[in-house]
Amino acid sequence: EIIERNAAGAVITHSPPLYDSIRALEIGLVIEGKTTGSSKQLKGIFSVEVPETFLSADKKLTVQTVTKTENLTYNNIFYSTWPTKTCESLKQDITAKVTPLLYDCLMGTGEQVKDFADWLKNQKLDPADFTVFTPSLKENICGGKANCNSAESGGVMVVARPGDASLLGNMNNLNNANLIVDGHLRVEQFQNPGTKSDSQTIIMRQLTVSKHMHGQGLENTNLLILGKATGADAAMNFMDKVTIGDNGRVCFDLDRIKKADWEAFRDKVDFKNNNTTGQIIYFTENLAANPFILPKDGSLSAAERTKLYVQGYDNYTNFLSSCGVNVSQNIKEITDIPVPYVTDPDFDLDVDYNPETDIN
């Protein structure tokens, strides 16, 4: 006896069955044993799952392949080209069950990144898989407000256009906001980023904080200042107090930053309560020639304090990885295999019965 069942597990009553709807074959097994004056049966059900292509020899199999490229460099971080597909068009594709080749889109005027992230969550999708390109951080992240307080991107990676200097006010309590600023990020106060415990990564070429990065300090945040493409003259200017708290990392490419800026940062940075998991992480091609050594503070000597809070790398991939950047770049491709993929399982069942043995 064979019973056909659909994806929901219900018995298919259509005769003959619609073969594409069959997802399992249920086979009833009966084994009978007899001895003198006694007869017993063993009944069982053998269920075979049917893959989608099992009974569809005329259909091609669509597969998605993922290519990984390792060892990201400085030139891999910032985008040289932008997508032309709008986020609204991408949403229409997702609604229509069309699998997008790329999860990148261009945000329009008046649209909010947080709203896009919320929509993705409602579709049971992970916002972290998507990258949004915004012509204006002020418009698309901060709602057009002069101060960008308590802003977030819902986990979506946001790429700001080259030269975007629209964000000049306060940027306090920034949380769950993954940003790539292809240029110089200028803010006034940068208080309490990451204090709500959602991890975030903010990458830029240059940074100027004209007031404080203080309060509860930089927490649960990777702040990367990677410098300009040429020279050692990029700005990393913290003009007032700088505090690093738990899981906060200030990461920078020492070879591309103004020496006066990283020296000033070195001399003023403070670690919350002198008891934190925060760190300073830097890259240089020559660690021996370019040490970053914190000054003595209280009972901690310069060597002790540096060992506790500073990590230098001369390998760029290791530097990025330590600062929360995924160093494996995934490229997704969808391919139709030209030859139909048909499985043809073959099952055998052998029963060895000894009639001289009683069945209990």
Side-chain angles (χ1 to χ4, degrees):
E1 180 186 12
I2 297 179
I3 299 173
E4 293 96 354
R5 294 187 180 273
N6 60 22
V11 176
I12 297 174
T13 57
H14 189 278
S15 182
L18 302 174
Y19 292 117
D20 282 353
S21 66
I22 299 175
R23 288 294 171 265
L25 299 176
E26 194 173 278
I27 305 169
L29 301 176
V30 178
I31 301 174
E32 186 177 68
K34 293 183 179 180
T35 61
T36 304
S38 177
S39 175
K40 294 189 177 182
Q41 290 183 336
L42 173 66
K43 296 183 178 180
I45 296 174
F46 184 46
S47 183
V48 181
E49 184 178 349
V50 179
E52 291 186 6
T53 55
F54 178 51
L55 297 173
S56 302
D58 59 330
K59 292 184 179 179
K60 295 180 180 179
L61 179 66
T62 300
V63 296
Q64 179 172 289
T65 58
V66 178
T67 302
K68 289 188 176 182
T69 59
E70 304 286 342
N71 298 325
L72 291 184
T73 67
Y74 173 88
N75 293 324
N76 298 130
I77 299 299
F78 301 101
Y79 291 81
S80 58
T81 59
W82 275 34
T84 56
K85 192 179 194 67
T86 66
C87 293
E88 189 60 35
S89 295
L90 182 60
K91 288 168 64 176
Q92 292 175 7
D93 286 349
I94 293 171
T95 301
K97 308 299 182 184
V98 176
T99 303
L101 286 174
L102 295 174
Y103 287 1
D104 300 349
C105 65
L106 182 63
M107 184 132 290
T109 303
E111 295 178 339
Q112 295 297 299
V113 175
K114 180 61 167 58
D115 293 341
F116 180 64
D118 290 342
W119 184 88
L120 292 172
K121 293 174 184 176
N122 289 334
Q123 304 301 311
K124 310 302 182 185
L125 297 172
D126 185 358
D129 293 336
F130 291 78
T131 302
V132 167
F133 291 72
T134 168
S136 172
L137 284 175
K138 185 175 181 179
E139 292 295 328
N140 299 128
I141 291 286
C142 309
K145 298 177 182 178
N147 291 320
C148 197
N149 296 328
S150 301
E152 62 174 287
S153 65
V156 174
M157 177 60 75
V158 179
V159 180
R161 66 175 175 82
D164 183 11
S166 61
L167 192 59
L168 298 173
N170 296 337
M171 201 172 186
N172 298 328
N173 305 309
L174 185 70
N175 195 67
N176 198 18
N178 297 309
L179 306 176
I180 297 177
V181 181
D182 190 0
H184 194 159
L185 179 64
R186 297 178 176 89
V187 298
E188 291 188 7
Q189 289 191 138
F190 196 45
Q191 302 275 62
N192 310 320
T195 55
K196 293 183 180 179
S197 299
D198 287 321
S199 178
Q200 58 190 352
T201 298
I202 306 168
I203 305 173
M204 66 216 72
R205 294 186 191 264
Q206 301 185 84
L207 174 66
T208 295
V209 181
S210 59
K211 292 184 179 177
H212 306 294
M213 191 176 78
H214 193 50
Q216 296 300 312
L218 181 77
E219 295 187 350
N220 306 307
T221 301
N222 302 297
L223 191 65
L224 290 86
I225 305 97
L226 301 185
K228 295 187 291 187
T230 58
D233 58 352
M236 187 179 76
N237 195 352
F238 296 92
M239 299 178 70
D240 213 315
K241 296 179 180 179
V242 182
T243 300
I244 299 177
D246 285 340
N247 300 316
R249 298 180 184 88
V250 175
C251 309
F252 64 96
D253 187 335
L254 182 145
D255 294 343
R256 299 177 188 269
I257 302 296
K258 291 179 185 177
K259 185 176 182 181
D261 282 5
W262 64 256
E263 285 181 337
F265 166 70
R266 175 196 63 191
D267 295 338
K268 73 174 60 172
V269 67
D270 179 43
F271 294 88
K272 186 178 177 182
N273 301 325
N274 286 326
N275 183 20
T276 177
T277 57
Q279 277 189 305
I280 295 171
I281 299 175
Y282 73 100
F283 168 82
T284 178
E285 291 185 352
N286 192 331
L287 285 169
N290 299 308
F292 183 92
I293 301 175
L294 292 171
K296 179 181 182 297
D297 182 57
S299 62
L300 287 176
S301 67
E304 291 171 330
R305 193 164 177 246
T306 300
K307 183 177 181 180
L308 187 61
Y309 294 122
V310 178
Q311 179 66 59
Y313 290 94
D314 57 8
N315 178 286
Y316 207 81
T317 298
N318 293 341
F319 162 68
L320 293 175
S321 178
S322 297
C323 295
V325 177
N326 182 5
V327 297
S328 296
Q329 186 179 37
N330 293 348
I331 302 172
K332 296 181 180 179
E333 297 178 352
I334 297 175
T335 307
D336 282 336
I337 296 178
V339 178
Y341 180 84
V342 182
T343 59
D344 185 16
D346 182 17
F347 299 101
D348 292 321
L349 177 64
D350 294 325
V351 178
D352 188 9
Y353 172 63
N354 185 348
E356 296 181 357
T357 301
D358 288 340
I359 299 177
N360 296 319

